[in-house]
Amino acid sequence: MLLVWIALVVLSLRPVAPLEAGIERLLTPLRFVAELTWPLRLVGGRPARAQGDVRRELIEEASSRSALLALHDSVLPTRADLLEGRRLVRAEVVSRSERGRDRIVIRPWTFEGLEVGQPVVARDAYVGRVVQVDRARGRVTVDLVTDRSFFVGATLDSGARESTVHLVVGGLAVQSRRSGEPATWLAAHNPSGRPIAGRSVVVGELLPELDPHSALAAGFELGTLELGSSDDDWRVRPVLDYLHGLFQVVVLTHPRRGQLDPAPPLHPLEEGRWVRARALTAGDPSPWRSTVQLDRGRVHGVRAGAAVVAGARLVGRVATVGELGCEVALLDDPGLALTAVGRPVQGDSTPRVLGRLVALGPASDGALVYHWRDVTLPRVGDGPTPPPRRMRLFTGSGEAGLPAGLLIGIADMPSYSSEGEGHTVRLSDAASRVDELGRLWVRIDSGTATTRSSP
Amino acid sequence: MSGGLVGWACLLLWSAWAFAAQGVLARSDLFASWTPDVGVVLLVGLASRMTPERARAGAVLLALTRAGLSGDPVVAVLAAYLALVVVVSSLRASVNTDGTVLRGFLSGLGALAVVGWLALVDLVRADTPVGWSQPLGEWAWRAAFSTALLSFVFGGWLRRLPGLGPLWRKERPWGFAEPAR
């Protein structure tokens, strides 16, 4: 008995994934326990949808579509010289590769003209290189410049009076901080002369004739050169969050005659990859948790991490899946992680990649509290702290089961760097109460697609 | 497992409803952080009159029921409930755990331990980069207070819910709990 109890304690604190999955399958019948609670669902049943609800859902869906279109456009290069002589194939980041964090899997809008070796960029920043084109599965694999075996030729924007300095950039330089996350840079190697810190580093291969695609990447930004702890320790402060900030990218190809611009992909809500679900519980018996049980499971195509929506509004993500049911972590469940973009509510509404948000649970006043890591946001001057900017948050992509463009809520996002500590932000206008929402839909595997009716 | 299949089925049904009601309470604006642990009240009440073996079976049943409605890992709930019944069964050999006041006190203490443990497990598993928005201790002591209150007022009544009698009525009360063999 004591041994069993010790084993339970150890497994509680140090879960073993295969064992947990086995227990989950073994306890599949527990899903019927939730079914037993139907009388309580009747008591707390939601009244029929009001006209205002329908109008709100339509507005939210329009907002989601507009945000996604803006996100697609925001990834295009802004400088005229970076558009010249290039064809731009936009793509959505689908997930990280199983091989590691330095490799992403993308879904391009078209496969026409795509080849291995072509550069991948996001806005004016260099991202990496195509290493595999899988037309059968509709996926392209990209190696990021952060990979330790990745090298790209670069030049220093050195101004008119000095000669150009060539160097090689690739891999990461990491330095721990007093607290918070470690600071990361792109590693810089073999400078041809004495570089000047603070200058902009752009892609520029010394021998472009050796690679037919290298000229396409010329001029795209890698970041700002900085000097590390020693005289030879050069590194580049990146302009992108390569870990959590890659949602949409562009593959650069050679333009050919007769090539048409591809149509944008369907909005995630129109993809037919949703299944209607019913909440079997109103809440979690543990008040610090925020989960509900749904009546859809693995046999219906539901997978862990899948998005759960009501209209265009994100309700939560599937935490664990049984054969016949699943448990959904709602937006205020501690530990729920989301990738997000923010669209300013006022002024310039160009979407800004925010990266990763992690729920810290509800505050005592009921507000949803999130931790926001901001590794690449530069400090804005040394003056007084700039005011936060109110943004409407939407999901980014790059994680399996969580499509881009779903409405999360509104938050006042800080406009200064936390220097690795991360910011605490409060989310308002977010869906945290399932009993107040309309129909629930769960994202399913593409192999088991069913049609989703309109909200 | 004597005591009647009907008794165990009734315990399953009542505990499912109790945990579901606890879930509704936990989502309410008014009671959220003061939600009592009904499972602890039921367990302490039953374990005060059941044999240790049957109390452990009850703990397993309640843990599985709760796991079916909760995001808490089943292994953690099992560990918590089994430890609770072992403690109550051990105490029962020397004191009358069936008295209203002691049962309420034990329920409160049990809730403090169970809620603290489950919240700790969730904190470790959630792997948030910084602490939660509300400290663990706050959840635990509030749950302990409300659970003790629930046990004090309704503890005996919960054990007498329809169908649960066969699970504990045959047991001897305190003083005869550990007969010499």
Side-chain angles (χ1 to χ4, degrees):
Chain A
M1 178 65 195
L2 184 65
L3 282 177
V4 171
W5 187 77
I6 290 171
L8 289 172
V9 169
V10 172
L11 281 175
S12 302
L13 296 170
R14 296 243 176 245
V16 181
L19 202 63
E20 293 257 307
I23 292 172
E24 197 67 46
R25 279 175 188 265
L26 207 66
L27 299 180
T28 295
L30 285 185
R31 142 118 157 70
F32 295 104
V33 170
E35 291 281 6
L36 287 175
T37 62
W38 62 268
L40 280 149
R41 287 203 299 277
L42 290 182
V43 173
R46 186 179 184 271
R49 283 205 303 176
Q51 190 64 34
D53 291 356
V54 177
R55 190 180 303 138
R56 181 179 53 80
E57 285 182 10
L58 285 171
I59 291 170
E60 285 171 2
E61 194 161 325
S63 172
S64 163
R65 284 174 197 283
S66 160
L68 198 56
L69 285 176
L71 188 62
H72 287 157
D73 290 342
S74 72
V75 79
L76 296 174
T78 57
R79 280 167 32 204
D81 62 308
L82 296 179
L83 293 166
E84 214 170 283
R86 297 167 173 101
R87 178 170 165 259
L88 312 174
V89 177
R90 282 180 270 189
E92 183 184 51
V93 179
V94 178
S95 63
R96 293 274 149 175
S97 164
E98 291 166 1
R99 209 203 70 167
R101 292 174 166 189
D102 301 312
R103 182 171 272 197
I104 55 172
V105 179
I106 63 173
R107 186 175 59 179
W109 289 18
T110 178
F111 277 86
E112 195 184 357
L114 291 197
E115 289 173 28
V116 169
Q118 287 169 338
V120 177
V121 299
R123 212 169 170 83
D124 296 339
Y126 184 76
V127 170
R129 217 176 270 140
V130 172
V131 289
Q132 191 186 7
V133 179
D134 186 346
R135 288 183 167 79
R137 292 180 58 219
R139 299 281 188 267
V140 167
T141 309
V142 176
D143 262 359
L144 301 181
V145 66
T146 53
D147 190 285
R148 63 195 301 180
S149 61
F150 193 106
F151 298 107
V152 62
T155 56
L156 211 58
D157 175 20
S158 55
R161 288 171 60 185
E162 300 120 16
S163 60
T164 303
V165 176
H166 295 275
L167 61 159
V168 176
V169 174
L172 283 177
V174 182
Q175 186 176 310
S176 58
R177 296 189 243 220
R178 271 183 302 175
S179 58
E181 292 189 51
T184 54
W185 294 263
L186 294 173
H189 322 270
N190 308 326
S192 63
R194 179 71 188 168
I196 302 163
R199 290 289 167 89
S200 175
V201 180
V202 298
V203 175
E205 294 285 0
L206 199 55
L207 300 169
E209 60 274 16
L210 295 179
D211 177 358
H213 303 302
S214 66
L216 293 170
F220 279 88
E221 294 171 22
L222 287 159
T224 312
L225 196 72
E226 290 183 2
L227 187 59
S229 50
S230 66
D231 275 354
D232 299 328
D233 183 16
W234 292 101
R235 44 182 69 167
V236 178
R237 178 182 281 265
V239 289
L240 279 178
D241 178 356
Y242 288 95
L243 185 58
H244 296 301
L246 286 174
F247 302 148
Q248 306 281 331
V249 293
V250 173
V251 184
L252 302 176
T253 73
H254 296 283
R256 293 199 182 100
R257 277 191 171 188
Q259 280 178 328
L260 298 172
D261 278 342
L266 290 172
H267 187 278
L269 297 179
E270 292 169 349
E271 281 182 285
R273 291 182 57 187
W274 300 89
V275 63
R276 176 98 186 263
R278 187 165 53 97
L280 298 175
T281 56
D284 196 299
S286 301
W288 60 92
R289 295 295 308 267
S290 186
T291 68
V292 288
Q293 309 291 322
L294 297 187
D295 64 344
R296 301 291 168 181
R298 202 173 281 113
V299 294
H300 304 102
V302 178
R303 299 289 179 264
V308 179
V309 298
R313 190 173 272 275
L314 183 74
V315 171
R317 296 184 76 178
V318 172
T320 56
V321 200
E323 291 301 313
L324 301 169
C326 66
E327 173 203 314
V328 177
L330 301 179
L331 291 183
D332 53 347
D333 191 43
L336 175 80
L338 303 169
T339 51
V341 291
R343 207 171 182 204
V345 172
Q346 288 181 326
D348 175 24
S349 62
T350 306
R352 201 174 97 186
V353 170
L354 299 175
R356 195 171 182 78
L357 297 171
V358 181
L360 302 178
S364 49
D365 60 358
L368 276 60
V369 184
Y370 273 79
H371 178 266
W372 173 42
R373 68 186 291 281
D374 60 326
V375 289
T376 57
L377 201 70
R379 181 182 286 280
V380 185
D382 293 325
T385 306
R389 197 157 186 204
R390 176 152 289 200
M391 291 187 178
R392 188 165 278 119
L393 307 192
F394 298 88
T395 53
S397 54
E399 290 190 5
L402 186 69
L406 302 175
L407 181 62
I408 300 172
I410 294 176
D412 292 323
M413 305 305 288
S415 306
Y416 59 94
S417 171
S418 69
E419 300 293 334
E421 295 281 348
H423 294 286
T424 299
V425 293
R426 291 163 68 90
L427 204 62
S428 59
D429 190 32
S432 63
R433 296 186 67 106
V434 172
D435 49 348
E436 289 175 2
L437 297 165
R439 297 168 179 167
L440 296 179
W441 298 85
V442 189
R443 181 102 167 152
I444 54 173
D445 239 12
S446 52
T448 46
T450 55
T451 308
R452 177 194 192 280
S453 57
S454 56
Chain B
M1 193 185 289
S2 60
L5 204 60
V6 175
W8 292 111
C10 285
L11 181 60
L12 172 73
L13 194 66
W14 284 118
S15 58
W17 288 356
F19 285 129
Q22 193 176 316
V24 172
L25 215 58
R27 295 300 288 175
S28 69
D29 296 330
L30 201 60
F31 297 107
S33 53
W34 293 95
T35 306
D37 196 318
V38 190
V40 169
V41 178
L42 255 173
L43 260 187
V44 172
L46 290 171
S48 296
R49 294 294 287 267
M50 283 175 156
T51 58
E53 294 76 25
R54 204 181 285 178
R56 284 201 289 270
V60 172
L61 183 78
L62 256 67
L64 292 178
T65 310
R66 181 177 177 142
L69 300 168
S70 166
D72 294 322
V74 64
V75 284
V77 185
L78 259 176
Y81 282 3
L82 280 174
L84 182 66
V85 292
V86 167
V87 169
V88 174
S89 299
S90 308
L91 279 176
R92 202 186 141 196
S94 49
V95 289
N96 181 10
T97 56
D98 207 23
T100 309
V101 175
L102 187 58
R103 197 176 52 213
F105 179 73
L106 276 178
S107 297
L109 218 57
L112 187 73
V114 168
V115 168
W117 162 249
L118 292 179
L120 175 75
V121 169
D122 285 332
L123 180 67
V124 170
R125 288 181 171 225
D127 196 23
T128 48
V130 291
W132 289 359
S133 53
Q134 288 189 63
L136 291 185
E138 208 168 297
W139 292 112
W141 80 258
R142 285 181 180 178
F145 180 78
S146 55
T147 306
L149 198 68
L150 180 77
S151 174
F152 191 75
V153 181
F154 294 112
W157 180 80
L158 275 175
R159 195 175 56 193
R160 289 179 181 82
L161 284 167
L164 298 189
L167 293 178
W168 58 272
R169 281 213 177 105
K170 284 179 188 168
E171 304 301 328
R172 291 163 186 238
W174 175 76
F176 300 95
E178 297 293 329
R181 294 180 185 226

